Amino acid sequence: KNQVEQSPQSLIILEGKNCTLQCNYTVSPFSNLRWYKQDTGRGPVSLTIMTFSENTKSNGRYTATLDADTKQSSLHITASQLSDSASYICVAYFGDKLIFGTGTRLQVFP
Amino acid sequence: SQTIHQWPATLVQPVGSPLSLECTVEGTSNPNLYWYRQAAGRGLQLLFYSVGIGQISSEVPQNLSASRPQDRQFILSSKKLLLSDSGFYLCAWGTERPTLHFGNGTRLTVT
């Protein structure tokens, strides 16, 4: 069964701290994986795209990793800011289809 | 640059009333267009997608329908809303390299 699971479901951290969000996917044939950021009441916005051959990709304070063998991806946020408070959604692409994870809700407090 | 507009932002409708949500895209031609629904605690669910005018594919049989009367216009409709239709509806457009660009969504509450 094709599925994407994210953990934790929610996370609270203090401003300036780092955090890591996890995504486990089971899709075939795997094409690529994307992380989206969704602010409350807004549509998701793409952060990074990871293809099968890529292990690490950075976008500012966001670093995504991909392990195609274990079918795991992580999103690491460095020096968190209040504006990082949002839901982070992992999306796995297989063929011309895609599956969304349920997201991790991150709250950054001052 | 490409932009996507979706309205209204929020909507409260009684059960049994009709629905029409509109989405338009600017700055691109012949985009693939999508309607998603996001329920609390669940991933985005694809409802409809369209690869061209008048071409609609339905992913989940339900109380909703979609139409694409113009190249950059996508409409989500219902003749009679159900309580279970409540949710956050997102329109998106995509390119050949499958990056989805989402609108800001419509929060629909059916009472």
Side-chain angles (χ1 to χ4, degrees), chain B residues 7-103:
Chain B
W7 68 91
T10 59
L11 189 60
V12 179
Q13 293 282 105
V15 169
S17 64
L19 172 73
S20 180
L21 303 181
E22 188 162 344
C23 172
T24 59
V25 180
E26 297 177 356
T28 185
S29 296
N30 196 31
N32 294 335
L33 296 174
Y34 306 84
W35 277 111
Y36 283 89
R37 177 167 58 199
Q38 186 175 36
R42 302 182 66 178
L44 273 71
Q45 179 187 37
L46 179 62
L47 302 176
F48 301 95
Y49 70 93
S50 170
V51 298
I53 296 175
Q55 301 178 59
I56 308 295
S57 295
S58 174
E59 289 293 305
V60 181
Q62 57 207 318
N63 186 41
L64 302 169
S65 62
S67 62
R68 184 170 178 173
Q70 300 180 40
D71 180 44
R72 289 169 288 181
Q73 184 184 29
F74 206 22
I75 298 173
L76 182 69
S77 304
S78 174
K79 293 183 179 179
K80 290 185 178 182
L81 283 169
L82 306 172
L83 287 175
S84 58
D85 291 324
S86 294
F88 191 50
Y89 289 83
L90 288 159
C91 178
W93 71 273
T95 60
E96 290 183 3
R97 187 178 183 185
T99 295
L100 291 177
H101 305 274
F102 289 89

Side-chain angles (χ1 to χ4, degrees), chain A residues 13-110:
Chain A
I13 62 174
L14 293 177
E15 185 179 15
K17 299 297 184 181
N18 303 334
C19 67
T20 300
L21 314 179
Q22 301 291 342
C23 173
N24 295 338
Y25 63 93
T26 307
V27 300
S28 181
F30 175 75
S31 175
N32 60 71
L33 184 142
R34 292 168 187 260
W35 285 91
Y36 283 81
K37 178 186 178 186
Q38 185 177 21
D39 293 318
T40 301
R42 307 294 292 270
V45 176
S46 178
L47 287 176
T48 68
I49 173 176
M50 307 286 291
T51 61
F52 181 84
S53 60
E54 295 176 309
N55 299 118
T56 303
K57 183 172 286 187
S58 293
N59 178 3
R61 294 179 297 101
Y62 300 102
T63 299
T65 65
L66 178 67
D67 186 332
D69 292 330
T70 61
K71 298 187 178 181
Q72 295 179 327
S73 177
S74 64
L75 181 68
H76 185 74
I77 303 175
T78 304
S80 61
Q81 301 176 358
L82 297 179
S83 59
D84 292 331
S85 294
S87 290
Y88 292 84
I89 303 172
C90 173
V91 185
Y93 287 69
F94 57 109
D96 60 351
K97 296 186 181 295
L98 52 89
I99 291 182
F100 287 80
T102 56
T104 292
R105 174 135 182 87
L106 174 65
Q107 294 178 276
V108 181
F109 287 113

